[in-house]
Amino acid sequence: MADIVSMPKLGFDMAEGVLIRWVISEGQDVEKGQVLAEIETDKATVEVEASVTGTVRKHIVAEGTSVPVGEAIAVIGDPGEDIDIESLAASASDIEASSPVEVEPEVESRQAEAPIPSTTTEFPDGVKASPVARRMASDLGIALGSISGSGPGGRIIKRDLEAASSAKAPSPAATFKVGAADRMVDQTIPLTKLRSAIGRRMVQSKKEVPHFYVTTEIDAEPMLTMRTQINPALPEGEKLTVNDFIVKAAAMALREFPNLNASLEGDQIRRHGAINVGIAVAVEDGLLTVVTRDSDLKPLRQLSIETRAMVDRTRDGKVKPDDIEGSTFTVSNLGMYDVDHFVAIINPPEATILAIGSVNDVPVVKDGQILPGKRMKVTLSADHRVTDGAEVAQWLVVFKRYMEQPALLLI
């Protein structure tokens, strides 16, 4: 038997939707619960599922058409079934169009006129009210038990809620007056070239790159202790940062997993010989990535000095082309902003990016005792076309070893 698919009502105030895409074509089979089409409301894009199993016999409306709620949009039936599609669609739309209308009968039987107790299990909450009245009461915040019904048998109907709403005293919030001087001024700010470039690349990345994410927690205390021991011996302007340790540890781990120091080029994966770690730097108009070249080969102190110089040039607006080109792996560190953890978007054509959260003081269990500890969470975002979860997890194990045994970074 043929079945009509109608434009669904997906919200109290929804009057129509736009059919933006047919997922199942005419003549194709469809299973019950399978996505049939996509519709767009004023709030979201929603998938419409088939309510029965069969063959899509007819698309009644074309893509891009605005369709009122309840109007027929498709017919599903058996392949050889003789269907009067036009008549079926028209009758279904008539039924749907009339169903939302609340009808208050003018006359009820003598049985209905009998006194109705104030509390009964026949009605929700023991209050006799029409469905429309219940919806209005919910939207207006009015307790149905506080008003009298003027419908048959004392039933609360729409006009009772309208009267109660108009008589309801305004709340203090409703009487508060906001002056123009209290409001912030609207601003329209054109996108800078950098902001536009970031937008294009990130849209491309999220649209084309199948991201996946793996997170681990690291004991940061050994690294912080070593930094505290080393920095007093270094001159001002050359002291090591937490990020220096992270960059060096990431580079060393990439030596053991060259597949993560890679990029996708057509139908080939290019594993880069040089490990050039990019560091995301916040600037006034967005983000720039400065590149530490041969990060695995340079001593930690040299990496720190070179990184500091590039970051300073970047923030002073004096960046050099070599400072921001050629990265093969990126580190994005938001730890200085008290961020627990986050996930980063891959910077094409790279295959991976490491997101760093803050070092937090947390209770940890050591030898059966609860002791104070310092932990930080890191998340590696990876391109599933290049690598898989097991390899990323193994890389994180190695990265974690370098961070928790920082003396290995000095060898």
Side-chain angles (χ1 to χ4, degrees), residues 148-160:
S148 300
S150 61
R155 188 184 194 202
I156 300 171
I157 59 176
K158 180 179 179 181
R159 64 171 173 263
D160 300 323

PDB file of all heavy atoms in Angstrom, residues 148-160:
ATOM      1  N   SER A 148      -9.975  29.337  35.042  1.00  0.00           N
ATOM      2  CA  SER A 148     -11.234  28.637  34.815  1.00  0.00           C
ATOM      3  C   SER A 148     -11.454  28.443  33.325  1.00  0.00           C
ATOM      4  O   SER A 148     -11.081  29.292  32.513  1.00  0.00           O
ATOM      5  CB  SER A 148     -12.404  29.436  35.407  1.00  0.00           C
ATOM      6  OG  SER A 148     -12.223  29.603  36.798  1.00  0.00           O
ATOM      7  N   GLY A 149     -12.078  27.330  32.980  1.00  0.00           N
ATOM      8  CA  GLY A 149     -12.337  27.028  31.585  1.00  0.00           C
ATOM      9  C   GLY A 149     -13.713  27.485  31.145  1.00  0.00           C
ATOM     10  O   GLY A 149     -14.693  27.350  31.883  1.00  0.00           O
ATOM     11  N   SER A 150     -13.790  28.003  29.952  1.00  0.00           N
ATOM     12  CA  SER A 150     -15.076  28.452  29.410  1.00  0.00           C
ATOM     13  C   SER A 150     -15.607  27.509  28.337  1.00  0.00           C
ATOM     14  O   SER A 150     -16.644  27.764  27.746  1.00  0.00           O
ATOM     15  CB  SER A 150     -14.933  29.864  28.818  1.00  0.00           C
ATOM     16  OG  SER A 150     -13.988  29.854  27.745  1.00  0.00           O
ATOM     17  N   GLY A 151     -14.900  26.427  28.086  1.00  0.00           N
ATOM     18  CA  GLY A 151     -15.341  25.463  27.098  1.00  0.00           C
ATOM     19  C   GLY A 151     -16.381  24.522  27.664  1.00  0.00           C
ATOM     20  O   GLY A 151     -16.755  24.596  28.846  1.00  0.00           O
ATOM     21  N   PRO A 152     -16.865  23.611  26.831  1.00  0.00           N
ATOM     22  CA  PRO A 152     -17.868  22.640  27.284  1.00  0.00           C
ATOM     23  C   PRO A 152     -17.381  21.859  28.489  1.00  0.00           C
ATOM     24  O   PRO A 152     -16.249  21.359  28.512  1.00  0.00           O
ATOM     25  CB  PRO A 152     -18.039  21.734  26.063  1.00  0.00           C
ATOM     26  CG  PRO A 152     -17.623  22.572  24.908  1.00  0.00           C
ATOM     27  CD  PRO A 152     -16.542  23.445  25.415  1.00  0.00           C
ATOM     28  N   GLY A 153     -18.238  21.749  29.513  1.00  0.00           N
ATOM     29  CA  GLY A 153     -17.880  21.000  30.704  1.00  0.00           C
ATOM     30  C   GLY A 153     -16.765  21.639  31.502  1.00  0.00           C
ATOM     31  O   GLY A 153     -16.103  20.952  32.276  1.00  0.00           O
ATOM     32  N   GLY A 154     -16.523  22.939  31.326  1.00  0.00           N
ATOM     33  CA  GLY A 154     -15.464  23.626  32.055  1.00  0.00           C
ATOM     34  C   GLY A 154     -14.083  23.405  31.476  1.00  0.00           C
ATOM     35  O   GLY A 154     -13.076  23.669  32.127  1.00  0.00           O
ATOM     36  N   ARG A 155     -14.017  22.939  30.228  1.00  0.00           N
ATOM     37  CA  ARG A 155     -12.740  22.678  29.581  1.00  0.00           C
ATOM     38  C   ARG A 155     -11.994  23.990  29.312  1.00  0.00           C
ATOM     39  O   ARG A 155     -12.582  24.971  28.852  1.00  0.00           O
ATOM     40  CB  ARG A 155     -12.991  21.945  28.274  1.00  0.00           C
ATOM     41  CG  ARG A 155     -11.757  21.443  27.574  1.00  0.00           C
ATOM     42  CD  ARG A 155     -12.167  20.838  26.247  1.00  0.00           C
ATOM     43  NE  ARG A 155     -11.090  20.050  25.657  1.00  0.00           N
ATOM     44  CZ  ARG A 155     -10.991  19.764  24.376  1.00  0.00           C
ATOM     45  NH1 ARG A 155     -11.908  20.202  23.543  1.00  0.00           N
ATOM     46  NH2 ARG A 155      -9.997  19.030  23.916  1.00  0.00           N
ATOM     47  N   ILE A 156     -10.697  24.021  29.610  1.00  0.00           N
ATOM     48  CA  ILE A 156      -9.868  25.198  29.342  1.00  0.00           C
ATOM     49  C   ILE A 156      -9.479  25.180  27.872  1.00  0.00           C
ATOM     50  O   ILE A 156      -8.943  24.191  27.380  1.00  0.00           O
ATOM     51  CB  ILE A 156      -8.624  25.207  30.230  1.00  0.00           C
ATOM     52  CG1 ILE A 156      -9.024  25.241  31.708  1.00  0.00           C
ATOM     53  CG2 ILE A 156      -7.736  26.406  29.897  1.00  0.00           C
ATOM     54  CD1 ILE A 156      -7.848  25.036  32.649  1.00  0.00           C
ATOM     55  N   ILE A 157      -9.776  26.274  27.177  1.00  0.00           N
ATOM     56  CA  ILE A 157      -9.478  26.352  25.747  1.00  0.00           C
ATOM     57  C   ILE A 157      -8.617  27.571  25.459  1.00  0.00           C
ATOM     58  O   ILE A 157      -8.248  28.324  26.370  1.00  0.00           O
ATOM     59  CB  ILE A 157     -10.778  26.380  24.914  1.00  0.00           C
ATOM     60  CG1 ILE A 157     -11.646  27.573  25.306  1.00  0.00           C
ATOM     61  CG2 ILE A 157     -11.541  25.078  25.049  1.00  0.00           C
ATOM     62  CD1 ILE A 157     -12.895  27.725  24.452  1.00  0.00           C
ATOM     63  N   LYS A 158      -8.333  27.753  24.168  1.00  0.00           N
ATOM     64  CA  LYS A 158      -7.387  28.770  23.735  1.00  0.00           C
ATOM     65  C   LYS A 158      -7.745  30.157  24.249  1.00  0.00           C
ATOM     66  O   LYS A 158      -6.893  30.898  24.738  1.00  0.00           O
ATOM     67  CB  LYS A 158      -7.312  28.763  22.217  1.00  0.00           C
ATOM     68  CG  LYS A 158      -6.357  29.793  21.635  1.00  0.00           C
ATOM     69  CD  LYS A 158      -6.336  29.689  20.123  1.00  0.00           C
ATOM     70  CE  LYS A 158      -5.407  30.739  19.509  1.00  0.00           C
ATOM     71  NZ  LYS A 158      -5.395  30.650  18.036  1.00  0.00           N
ATOM     72  N   ARG A 159      -9.039  30.554  24.143  1.00  0.00           N
ATOM     73  CA  ARG A 159      -9.400  31.923  24.529  1.00  0.00           C
ATOM     74  C   ARG A 159      -9.216  32.166  26.026  1.00  0.00           C
ATOM     75  O   ARG A 159      -8.984  33.296  26.453  1.00  0.00           O
ATOM     76  CB  ARG A 159     -10.834  32.226  24.106  1.00  0.00           C
ATOM     77  CG  ARG A 159     -11.915  31.398  24.768  1.00  0.00           C
ATOM     78  CD  ARG A 159     -13.296  31.959  24.416  1.00  0.00           C
ATOM     79  NE  ARG A 159     -14.368  31.102  24.906  1.00  0.00           N
ATOM     80  CZ  ARG A 159     -14.988  30.209  24.185  1.00  0.00           C
ATOM     81  NH1 ARG A 159     -14.644  30.027  22.904  1.00  0.00           N
ATOM     82  NH2 ARG A 159     -15.965  29.477  24.700  1.00  0.00           N
ATOM     83  N   ASP A 160      -9.285  31.092  26.845  1.00  0.00           N
ATOM     84  CA  ASP A 160      -9.044  31.256  28.281  1.00  0.00           C
ATOM     85  C   ASP A 160      -7.590  31.618  28.547  1.00  0.00           C
ATOM     86  O   ASP A 160      -7.280  32.433  29.424  1.00  0.00           O
ATOM     87  CB  ASP A 160      -9.404  29.967  29.020  1.00  0.00           C
ATOM     88  CG  ASP A 160     -10.857  29.568  28.839  1.00  0.00           C
ATOM     89  OD1 ASP A 160     -11.709  30.481  28.807  1.00  0.00           O
ATOM     90  OD2 ASP A 160     -11.130  28.362  28.700  1.00  0.00           O
TER      91      ASP A 160
END
